[in-house]
């Protein structure tokens, strides 16, 4: 049974990754106007410093396109704020799930409102990560 569970978990991750527009490290560096000999190293460092959301797909770093303000060549500032708030129990994959699924408070996915409703997104994320208290 545990083997089936891990396979199901892998399929869920694959379906989620397939539903998100992802770019590779070279594309992200070009978008951010970063000239780098090692784009993966640059983006991994940014991810460690809570600067970008990074995922691993087929052993390579992939970055959700929704976090980039493509018009201004930068990462939306709300991404850094969310990553600083995020508890360790919330993986980048789970974070992407939350950011890309319709939210009752916005009528769309929170990621669709980046740069427009950042304070409301942070408040909604704070509620989402708050530990459940019973009793």
């Amino acid at each position: 049974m545990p083997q089936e569970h891990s396979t199901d978990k892998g399929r869920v991750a694959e379906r989620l990754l397939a539903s998100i527009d992802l770019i590779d490290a070279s594309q992200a560096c070009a978008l951010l106007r970063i000239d780098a000999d090692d784009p993966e190293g640059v983006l991994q460092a940014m991810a460690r410093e809570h600067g970008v959301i990074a995922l691993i797909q087929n052993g390579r770093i992939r970055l959700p396109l929704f976090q980039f303000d493509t018009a201004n060549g930068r990462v939306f500032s709300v991404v850094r704020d969310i990553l600083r708030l995020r508890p360790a129990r919330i993986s980048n994959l789970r974070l992407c799930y939350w950011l890309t699924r319709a939210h009752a408070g916005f009528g769309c996915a929170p990621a669709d409102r980046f740069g427009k409703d950042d304070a409301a997104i942070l408040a909604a994320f704070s509620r989402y990560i708050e530990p459940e208290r019973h009793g």
Side-chain angles (χ1 to χ4, degrees):
M1 180 111 163
Q3 190 174 30
E4 273 184 42
H5 178 68
S6 67
T7 303
D8 290 343
K9 188 176 178 180
R11 286 188 198 133
V12 169
E14 287 174 23
R15 283 196 324 262
L16 177 59
L17 289 173
S19 72
I20 300 171
D21 288 332
L22 298 170
I23 59 175
D24 65 27
S26 295
Q27 292 168 313
C29 281
L31 221 159
L32 297 172
R33 300 175 185 105
I34 297 172
D35 186 23
D37 292 332
D38 180 18
E40 287 216 8
V42 169
L43 272 297
Q44 286 173 350
M46 287 179 71
R48 278 191 303 274
E49 296 169 10
H50 305 295
V52 293
I53 301 168
L55 302 166
I56 302 297
Q57 184 181 40
N58 300 324
R60 304 292 303 209
I61 190 170
R62 305 285 286 171
L63 300 112
L65 184 59
F66 63 73
Q67 67 187 317
F68 296 97
D69 177 354
T70 56
N72 297 306
R74 64 183 184 91
V75 176
F76 285 106
S77 59
V78 70
V79 171
R80 177 166 285 159
D81 297 336
I82 288 170
L83 289 170
R84 287 184 179 147
L85 274 178
R86 181 189 61 170
R89 65 179 162 57
I90 305 286
S91 69
N92 281 349
L93 192 62
R94 185 171 168 193
L95 176 60
C96 286
Y97 179 81
W98 185 84
L99 288 169
T100 59
R101 297 303 175 254
H103 188 280
F106 306 110
C108 62
D112 293 343
R113 301 300 304 160
F114 280 179
K116 300 171 190 90
D117 290 325
D118 293 351
I121 292 167
L122 282 174
F125 185 67
S126 293
R127 289 188 302 274
Y128 172 69
I129 62 173
E130 190 170 306
E132 292 182 30
R133 293 194 168 87
H134 298 282

